[in-house]
Amino acid sequence: MLATYLIGLREGLEAGLIVGILVAYLAKLGRRDLLGRLWIGIGLAIAVALGVGAALTWGPYAMTFQAQEILGGVLSIVAVAMVTWMTFWMGSHGASLSKELRSSVDAAIDRSWFALVVLGAVSVGREGIETALFVWANAAGGSDPLLATLGAVLGILTAVVISWGISRGLVRFNLGRFFTWTGLFLIFVAAGVLAYGIGDLQEASVIPGWGTHAYSLVAIVPPGSWYGTVLAGIFNFSPEPTWAQVFAWVAYVVITVPLYLLMLRRRSRARAAAAAVPAAAAAAAPPAAPVAPVSGGRVAERIETP
């Protein structure tokens, strides 16, 4: 439940920030008359995400056992790929997200009335489909899919409240730190989903080696224990993984974690360099004349991801 809660919270915040940027920019342009088109697109995106979730939940029941395992394994791998790509994309493009979205709004306004509907649907739909797919993949390997789904719903509702509070200036917290740490956490969750997907493909005889365990931790982590249940629910932990599952988990973590930390380091250096330029210019500039305060001024705040 904790894993799906954080998935829902993170993806919901990303979608909420995108919606906040789009709405705020249209208001800034004085085009509130176009908000209806934007909300139509957002509504379509939510409907598609719910449809994907429903299809993943009830669709496989008409399939054979082997077909279900193949579908589950393939979709688990796809979910890992989508979450990994989105984690790195947000880490490298988050600072310019607001600018990119404003440019997209300008282009959509110049095209046609339907272009803004498409922009809202695509911007939010990507987050919704990714959430539905990853939550399903994580819940499929957990012991209680109902709790996993409930965790995702609670995470999304929390994200809605936080996004509303940010847009109203009522909530302030370090979004950069939040996305950084949740991104690292989701890498380990994704590693477990990947191992589970490999296990599904082994059960379907697509990948050999099912039934041959690399090691057994049943004596240390019994499957029925509360901590075994927690580990299985959050990280898809298996006390008796196959060699293919172990190799997939280790390879994913060994490759992804260093690349993620390297990206964070480069981003930190880029920010430090960008901050040093105006500081040096300000130090070299002559002192400015004092300016009388202006009463009644208002500061427009914009919503941006780190």
Side-chain angles (χ1 to χ4, degrees), residues 146-173:
L146 180 60
L147 283 179
T149 303
L150 179 61
V153 172
L154 291 176
I156 293 173
L157 292 177
T158 304
V160 170
V161 174
I162 293 177
S163 298
W164 179 84
I166 291 175
S167 67
R168 298 293 180 179
L170 302 176
V171 177
R172 295 179 182 273
F173 69 98

Short mmCIF file of all heavy atoms in Angstrom, two decimals, residues 146-173:
data_model
loop_
_atom_site.label_atom_id
_atom_site.label_comp_id
_atom_site.label_asym_id
_atom_site.label_seq_id
_atom_site.Cartn_x
_atom_site.Cartn_y
_atom_site.Cartn_z
N LEU A 146 -6.56 -5.02 -3.34
CA LEU A 146 -7.50 -4.00 -2.90
C LEU A 146 -6.79 -2.91 -2.11
O LEU A 146 -7.02 -1.71 -2.33
CB LEU A 146 -8.60 -4.63 -2.03
CG LEU A 146 -9.67 -3.66 -1.50
CD1 LEU A 146 -10.38 -2.98 -2.66
CD2 LEU A 146 -10.66 -4.40 -0.61
N LEU A 147 -5.89 -3.31 -1.20
CA LEU A 147 -5.13 -2.32 -0.43
C LEU A 147 -4.21 -1.52 -1.35
O LEU A 147 -4.01 -0.32 -1.15
CB LEU A 147 -4.32 -3.01 0.66
CG LEU A 147 -5.08 -3.46 1.91
CD1 LEU A 147 -4.13 -4.16 2.88
CD2 LEU A 147 -5.76 -2.28 2.58
N ALA A 148 -3.63 -2.19 -2.34
CA ALA A 148 -2.74 -1.49 -3.27
C ALA A 148 -3.51 -0.44 -4.05
O ALA A 148 -3.05 0.70 -4.23
CB ALA A 148 -2.10 -2.49 -4.22
N THR A 149 -4.72 -0.78 -4.51
CA THR A 149 -5.55 0.18 -5.24
C THR A 149 -5.97 1.32 -4.33
O THR A 149 -5.97 2.49 -4.73
CB THR A 149 -6.79 -0.53 -5.81
OG1 THR A 149 -6.37 -1.62 -6.65
CG2 THR A 149 -7.62 0.44 -6.64
N LEU A 150 -6.34 1.00 -3.09
CA LEU A 150 -6.73 2.02 -2.13
C LEU A 150 -5.58 2.98 -1.86
O LEU A 150 -5.77 4.19 -1.77
CB LEU A 150 -7.18 1.36 -0.83
CG LEU A 150 -7.59 2.32 0.31
CD1 LEU A 150 -8.77 3.16 -0.12
CD2 LEU A 150 -7.93 1.53 1.58
N GLY A 151 -4.36 2.42 -1.76
CA GLY A 151 -3.19 3.28 -1.54
C GLY A 151 -2.99 4.26 -2.68
O GLY A 151 -2.69 5.44 -2.46
N ALA A 152 -3.17 3.79 -3.93
CA ALA A 152 -3.01 4.67 -5.09
C ALA A 152 -4.06 5.77 -5.09
O ALA A 152 -3.76 6.93 -5.37
CB ALA A 152 -3.08 3.85 -6.37
N VAL A 153 -5.30 5.40 -4.77
CA VAL A 153 -6.38 6.40 -4.74
C VAL A 153 -6.11 7.45 -3.67
O VAL A 153 -6.28 8.66 -3.90
CB VAL A 153 -7.74 5.70 -4.50
CG1 VAL A 153 -8.83 6.74 -4.26
CG2 VAL A 153 -8.10 4.81 -5.68
N LEU A 154 -5.68 7.01 -2.50
CA LEU A 154 -5.37 7.96 -1.43
C LEU A 154 -4.20 8.87 -1.82
O LEU A 154 -4.20 10.06 -1.51
CB LEU A 154 -5.03 7.21 -0.14
CG LEU A 154 -6.19 6.48 0.55
CD1 LEU A 154 -5.69 5.70 1.76
CD2 LEU A 154 -7.28 7.47 0.96
N GLY A 155 -3.21 8.29 -2.51
CA GLY A 155 -2.09 9.11 -2.97
C GLY A 155 -2.53 10.17 -3.96
O GLY A 155 -2.08 11.33 -3.89
N ILE A 156 -3.40 9.80 -4.88
CA ILE A 156 -3.90 10.76 -5.87
C ILE A 156 -4.73 11.85 -5.20
O ILE A 156 -4.59 13.04 -5.52
CB ILE A 156 -4.72 10.03 -6.94
CG1 ILE A 156 -3.81 9.12 -7.77
CG2 ILE A 156 -5.44 11.02 -7.85
CD1 ILE A 156 -4.55 8.22 -8.74
N LEU A 157 -5.58 11.46 -4.24
CA LEU A 157 -6.38 12.46 -3.53
C LEU A 157 -5.49 13.42 -2.74
O LEU A 157 -5.75 14.63 -2.69
CB LEU A 157 -7.38 11.77 -2.60
CG LEU A 157 -8.50 10.97 -3.28
CD1 LEU A 157 -9.36 10.28 -2.23
CD2 LEU A 157 -9.35 11.89 -4.15
N THR A 158 -4.45 12.87 -2.11
CA THR A 158 -3.50 13.74 -1.40
C THR A 158 -2.82 14.71 -2.36
O THR A 158 -2.64 15.89 -2.04
CB THR A 158 -2.43 12.88 -0.69
OG1 THR A 158 -3.05 11.94 0.17
CG2 THR A 158 -1.48 13.76 0.12
N ALA A 159 -2.46 14.21 -3.55
CA ALA A 159 -1.82 15.06 -4.55
C ALA A 159 -2.75 16.18 -5.00
O ALA A 159 -2.31 17.31 -5.23
CB ALA A 159 -1.39 14.22 -5.75
N VAL A 160 -4.04 15.86 -5.14
CA VAL A 160 -5.02 16.89 -5.53
C VAL A 160 -5.08 17.99 -4.49
O VAL A 160 -5.08 19.19 -4.82
CB VAL A 160 -6.41 16.25 -5.74
CG1 VAL A 160 -7.47 17.33 -5.91
CG2 VAL A 160 -6.40 15.32 -6.95
N VAL A 161 -5.13 17.60 -3.22
CA VAL A 161 -5.19 18.60 -2.14
C VAL A 161 -3.92 19.45 -2.11
O VAL A 161 -3.98 20.68 -2.00
CB VAL A 161 -5.41 17.90 -0.78
CG1 VAL A 161 -5.31 18.91 0.37
CG2 VAL A 161 -6.76 17.19 -0.75
N ILE A 162 -2.76 18.80 -2.24
CA ILE A 162 -1.49 19.53 -2.20
C ILE A 162 -1.38 20.47 -3.41
O ILE A 162 -0.96 21.63 -3.28
CB ILE A 162 -0.31 18.55 -2.16
CG1 ILE A 162 -0.29 17.79 -0.84
CG2 ILE A 162 1.02 19.30 -2.35
CD1 ILE A 162 0.80 16.74 -0.77
N SER A 163 -1.77 19.99 -4.58
CA SER A 163 -1.70 20.83 -5.79
C SER A 163 -2.61 22.04 -5.65
O SER A 163 -2.24 23.16 -6.05
CB SER A 163 -2.11 20.00 -7.02
OG SER A 163 -1.22 18.93 -7.22
N TRP A 164 -3.80 21.83 -5.10
CA TRP A 164 -4.71 22.97 -4.87
C TRP A 164 -4.10 23.95 -3.88
O TRP A 164 -4.16 25.16 -4.07
CB TRP A 164 -6.05 22.46 -4.34
CG TRP A 164 -7.02 23.57 -4.05
CD1 TRP A 164 -7.85 24.19 -4.93
CD2 TRP A 164 -7.25 24.21 -2.78
NE1 TRP A 164 -8.59 25.17 -4.30
CE2 TRP A 164 -8.24 25.20 -2.97
CE3 TRP A 164 -6.72 24.02 -1.50
CZ2 TRP A 164 -8.69 26.00 -1.94
CZ3 TRP A 164 -7.18 24.82 -0.47
CH2 TRP A 164 -8.15 25.80 -0.69
N GLY A 165 -3.48 23.43 -2.81
CA GLY A 165 -2.86 24.30 -1.83
C GLY A 165 -1.69 25.08 -2.41
O GLY A 165 -1.51 26.26 -2.09
N ILE A 166 -0.92 24.45 -3.29
CA ILE A 166 0.20 25.15 -3.94
C ILE A 166 -0.31 26.27 -4.83
O ILE A 166 0.22 27.39 -4.84
CB ILE A 166 1.06 24.16 -4.75
CG1 ILE A 166 1.80 23.21 -3.81
CG2 ILE A 166 2.07 24.90 -5.63
CD1 ILE A 166 2.58 22.13 -4.53
N SER A 167 -1.37 25.98 -5.59
CA SER A 167 -1.90 26.99 -6.51
C SER A 167 -2.48 28.18 -5.75
O SER A 167 -2.49 29.30 -6.27
CB SER A 167 -2.98 26.37 -7.40
OG SER A 167 -4.12 26.00 -6.64
N ARG A 168 -2.95 27.95 -4.52
CA ARG A 168 -3.51 29.04 -3.71
C ARG A 168 -2.46 29.67 -2.80
O ARG A 168 -2.78 30.62 -2.07
CB ARG A 168 -4.65 28.50 -2.84
CG ARG A 168 -5.82 27.95 -3.63
CD ARG A 168 -6.54 29.04 -4.38
NE ARG A 168 -7.66 28.51 -5.14
CZ ARG A 168 -8.47 29.24 -5.87
NH1 ARG A 168 -8.29 30.55 -5.93
NH2 ARG A 168 -9.46 28.70 -6.55
N GLY A 169 -1.24 29.17 -2.83
CA GLY A 169 -0.20 29.71 -1.97
C GLY A 169 -0.31 29.27 -0.53
O GLY A 169 0.31 29.86 0.35
N LEU A 170 -1.10 28.21 -0.27
CA LEU A 170 -1.31 27.75 1.10
C LEU A 170 -0.31 26.68 1.51
O LEU A 170 -0.11 26.44 2.70
CB LEU A 170 -2.73 27.19 1.25
CG LEU A 170 -3.87 28.15 0.92
CD1 LEU A 170 -5.21 27.43 1.02
CD2 LEU A 170 -3.84 29.36 1.84
N VAL A 171 0.29 26.01 0.53
CA VAL A 171 1.23 24.92 0.80
C VAL A 171 2.57 25.23 0.15
O VAL A 171 2.61 25.60 -1.02
CB VAL A 171 0.69 23.57 0.26
CG1 VAL A 171 1.71 22.46 0.48
CG2 VAL A 171 -0.63 23.23 0.91
N ARG A 172 3.63 25.10 0.91
CA ARG A 172 4.97 25.32 0.39
C ARG A 172 5.88 24.21 0.92
O ARG A 172 5.96 24.00 2.12
CB ARG A 172 5.53 26.68 0.82
CG ARG A 172 4.77 27.87 0.26
CD ARG A 172 5.37 29.19 0.75
NE ARG A 172 4.62 30.33 0.25
CZ ARG A 172 4.84 30.91 -0.93
NH1 ARG A 172 5.80 30.43 -1.71
NH2 ARG A 172 4.12 31.93 -1.32
N PHE A 173 6.52 23.49 0.02
CA PHE A 173 7.52 22.52 0.42
C PHE A 173 8.47 22.31 -0.74
O PHE A 173 8.21 22.75 -1.87
CB PHE A 173 6.89 21.20 0.88
CG PHE A 173 6.23 20.41 -0.21
CD1 PHE A 173 6.89 19.36 -0.82
CD2 PHE A 173 4.94 20.70 -0.62
CE1 PHE A 173 6.28 18.63 -1.82
CE2 PHE A 173 4.32 19.97 -1.61
CZ PHE A 173 5.00 18.93 -2.21
#
